[in-house]
Amino acid sequence: MRTPPAKQPSQTIRALPSAPKAASAQRSRSGNHPRYAPPPDADAYWDNSLGVYVVKGQRLYYRERLYYRWNDGWYSSGQPNGPWESVEGPGVPPGLRNLYSPR
């Protein structure tokens, strides 16, 4: 006659506590966006509301290898110091389009 296998004690699996919501919101405002790389030539932070990196201490924005600045119209450049070319409408990231009003 065979003896039945010994019963294993059941284990309770518990979920890890989630991070506080305030901390995750702060991270998304100042952290790196997973889709867009930060600018290689400037110190910047990701701004979720604008959908671009904001260069610290300047009115300069960055997304997808281009810098943007406002000077009575939008201009873009591959370098933070130019040369700058005029850009309009769909050439400007959506979050920046209504940031400044044309004069």
Side-chain angles (χ1 to χ4, degrees):
M1 188 187 236
R2 295 181 116 182
T3 53
K7 257 187 161 179
Q8 297 290 327
S10 65
Q11 294 180 344
T12 303
I13 299 173
R14 295 181 186 178
L16 295 173
S18 61
K21 293 189 188 292
S24 63
Q26 179 63 25
R27 250 193 316 265
S28 67
R29 165 124 170 72
S30 62
N32 292 339
H33 189 276
R35 181 174 173 193
Y36 303 111
D41 307 315
D43 186 20
Y45 64 91
W46 177 259
D47 186 317
N48 254 353
S49 65
L50 297 176
V52 296
Y53 285 94
V54 178
V55 176
K56 292 180 182 177
Q58 298 181 45
R59 291 178 124 187
L60 193 60
Y61 310 93
Y62 180 85
R63 187 167 118 174
E64 295 184 87
R65 293 185 229 137
L66 286 176
Y67 290 89
Y68 296 89
R69 72 174 188 177
W70 174 263
N71 187 14
D72 292 327
W74 284 106
Y75 293 83
S76 69
S77 173
Q79 301 291 324
N81 297 324
W84 297 94
E85 294 182 21
S86 179
V87 62
E88 295 180 13
V92 177
L96 293 180
R97 289 182 197 153
N98 297 322
L99 189 59
Y100 299 102
S101 300
R103 292 183 187 178

